[in-house]
Amino acid sequence: EEFSKPETLLITIKDNGVGFTDERFAKFKELLKVEEESHKGVGRLVFLSYFKNINITSYFDKKKRTIEFSELFDGKSQVTDDPNQNRGTTIEFKNYYRKKIASHDYLRPEMLIKRIKEEFYPRLYLLKKQSKDVIINVSLTVEKADEKHSFQSSKRHVHASELPELKVEPMDAGIIEMFKQTELHYSIIKKDFDKTIITALCVDGRSYKQDIISDENIPYGYEIIFLLNSDLFTGQVDTSRQNLTLKENVLKPIIVLFRS
């Protein structure tokens, strides 16, 4: 309804993916059961840190699966026949139980799209290279706008095909033998508005930002991206996928190399 009423927050995420098939639902039920190093299997628990109820409706193979996910989740779902729906999943996050939302930016589409690009640029760029037509739309509906903080209904999107081409610079890593395959992927383009700087290590399709060039050191109206890629980084993140687990004696020379 308005920013000062966090209890009215409703977040809906909708996709047109393959849906919660029996196999995928079986994986969802079991924490830490993963087949790839890039997936940790605990992300769904983060939902319960903020919302009391998560309702999932998924269409797959001419069936409909509904899941009520909460702290009382018993690993069960309801499945019915539904031949008329296209496949896809809708997740609703309800009953936000914290007393406030820390920042307007956590809900603004323009800032959410910026964060999505910062975090998932490697994955989005790979989809672009594979000619996969992926679009992420973010919209905010506010019943009572807050003009002072520019908090009002709005929409933004990111389209993988619209991402700029990244140039590739092979790294001269003679000082560190293990980095022979390291490459720097980068783009510098002029924009009519805003400014963005991403300097990050690419790990398992995500960006892990490093303080190589700070935001205040770039001019307004530019989007600058530097992504450092190496097989050395694969799987080097914690279970929440928020922090790198590279040892300090390895990370420090990487940063030195990146900065140079």
Side-chain angles (χ1 to χ4, degrees), residues 22 36 63 81 85 93 142 164 169 186 194 220 223:
D22 292 345
E36 306 171 36
K63 295 180 181 180
D81 292 331
Q85 284 287 344
F93 301 81
V142 183
E169 184 76 18
Y186 71 96
D194 202 6
Y220 187 83
E223 181 180 81

Side-chain angles (χ1 to χ4, degrees), residues 24-251:
R24 288 172 178 266
F25 181 61
K27 291 180 181 179
F28 177 82
K29 291 190 297 183
E30 297 189 44
L31 291 175
L32 301 175
K33 184 178 181 180
V34 296
E35 296 176 351
E36 306 171 36
E37 286 187 345
S38 60
H39 299 285
K40 303 301 180 182
V42 297
R44 76 211 73 164
L45 293 183
V46 176
F47 302 163
L48 300 178
S49 298
Y50 298 92
F51 294 89
K52 293 180 182 178
N53 301 101
I54 295 93
N55 297 323
I56 303 171
T57 304
S58 187
Y59 297 92
F60 66 99
D61 302 334
K62 298 183 179 181
K63 295 180 181 180
K64 174 183 176 182
R65 185 187 302 276
T66 56
I67 308 165
E68 293 184 5
F69 186 59
S70 68
E71 291 184 354
L72 301 177
F73 179 60
D74 58 4
K76 297 179 181 179
S77 68
Q78 292 183 332
V79 179
T80 57
D81 292 331
D82 197 323
N84 300 318
Q85 284 287 344
N86 294 324
R87 69 182 189 180
T89 299
T90 299
I91 307 179
E92 288 188 338
F93 301 81
K94 295 181 177 180
N95 295 322
Y96 184 83
Y97 67 81
R98 301 203 173 189
K99 294 182 179 179
K100 64 179 182 178
I101 300 167
S103 169
H104 291 79
D105 284 346
Y106 289 174
L107 300 177
R108 279 199 194 97
E110 57 268 32
M111 294 306 297
L112 290 171
I113 288 294
K114 185 175 181 179
R115 285 291 295 116
I116 288 169
K117 289 173 70 175
E118 287 176 348
E119 182 109 351
F120 295 104
Y121 205 101
R123 181 64 57 83
L124 291 169
Y125 189 71
L126 177 61
L127 293 168
K128 170 186 170 73
K129 300 301 287 184
Q130 295 172 342
S131 298
K132 293 186 177 179
D133 192 28
V134 173
I135 305 173
I136 300 173
N137 297 298
V138 180
S139 63
L140 170 65
T141 303
V142 183
E143 292 184 12
K144 186 177 180 180
D146 182 351
E147 302 293 343
K148 179 181 178 181
H149 295 95
S150 300
F151 189 72
Q152 54 201 355
S153 299
S154 60
K155 297 180 180 180
R156 292 291 190 278
H157 81 277
V158 57
H159 194 166
S161 67
E162 297 174 355
L163 297 178
E165 288 290 335
L166 297 181
K167 298 179 181 179
V168 179
E169 184 76 18
M171 300 294 289
D172 180 11
I175 57 170
I176 310 174
E177 188 69 19
M178 70 181 76
F179 297 149
K180 282 183 178 180
Q181 304 302 317
T182 301
E183 292 179 335
L184 184 68
H185 295 239
Y186 71 96
S187 169
I188 303 174
I189 59 176
K190 191 163 175 41
K191 295 275 192 177
D192 294 331
F193 57 90
D194 202 6
K195 64 177 180 179
T196 301
I197 176 74
I198 303 174
T199 53
L201 305 184
C202 295
V203 184
D204 304 335
R206 292 192 181 206
S207 307
Y208 290 83
K209 296 183 71 176
Q210 303 296 314
D211 187 18
I212 306 299
I213 306 170
S214 60
D215 185 74
E216 59 266 23
N217 289 333
I218 67 168
Y220 187 83
Y222 278 88
E223 181 180 81
I224 300 175
I225 299 162
F226 290 100
L227 302 176
L228 193 62
N229 288 267
S230 176
D231 290 342
L232 176 72
F233 305 152
T234 302
Q236 295 290 336
V237 291
D238 61 14
T239 54
S240 66
R241 293 196 285 190
Q242 297 299 307
N243 303 294
L244 293 172
T245 55
L246 285 165
K247 293 182 178 179
E248 185 66 24
N249 65 334
V250 175
L251 183 59

